[in-house]
Amino acid sequence: MNTKHLILAALLSGAAFSANAANNSLASCTDLGADREIVRAGSARTMALRDGDSHYLVSFRSDCGSLTTTGSLKIIGEGTEDRLCPSNTVVRTKRDECQVQSVKPISADDFASRKRRAR
């Protein structure tokens, strides 16, 4: 294999890896509907969110201490309530305002599994 082919193969594999990594994160903001469910599996760092037929894993920049005990929470993306964005999203509980680090779409099966483990 000559050097040109080796470099081309490396570039193509790097592009495929980057595209796959990008597909694992929420690409743009989404407005949340009323048919929503949140699973807080005893973790102060993540929560699973079902919005209609869409499912997400929301990770926080640091511990969101009141996440596991709060009775209600608000999701605010780019200053708009009931909006989930890949950046500039906060989850507000009665005691905390938790900065979201990442939002990743997950499968319905993954959400159901997290829900079972949370019981």
Side-chain angles (χ1 to χ4, degrees):
M1 181 179 274
N2 70 28
T3 305
K4 287 182 185 178
H5 288 125
L6 185 59
I7 292 171
L8 181 60
L11 288 173
L12 289 174
S13 66
F17 177 79
S18 295
N20 187 36
N23 288 337
N24 288 335
S25 295
L26 186 65
S28 62
C29 294
T30 184
D31 292 325
L32 302 173
D35 181 21
R36 159 179 357 158
E37 182 178 10
I38 295 171
V39 173
R40 300 166 275 204
S43 170
R45 296 289 290 204
T46 62
M47 71 178 195
L49 168 67
R50 180 189 59 78
D51 179 54
D53 293 333
S54 300
H55 303 82
Y56 306 97
L57 180 63
V58 178
S59 299
F60 298 100
R61 289 190 179 156
S62 60
D63 281 354
C64 185
S66 63
L67 180 67
T68 58
T69 59
T70 191
S72 66
L73 56 86
K74 294 180 182 181
I75 299 170
I76 303 164
E78 295 183 343
T80 303
E81 193 169 330
D82 296 328
R83 176 175 275 186
L84 186 64
C85 297
S87 62
N88 297 320
T89 296
V90 297
V91 173
R92 188 174 294 151
T93 68
K94 290 181 181 181
R95 292 187 331 217
D96 294 318
E97 185 169 286
C98 307
Q99 295 290 322
V100 172
Q101 179 176 345
S102 65
V103 180
K104 297 180 182 179
I106 59 174
S107 69
D109 290 338
D110 189 3
F111 181 86
S113 175
R114 290 172 186 277
K115 185 176 176 178
R116 279 191 303 275
R117 287 191 309 251
R119 293 182 189 177

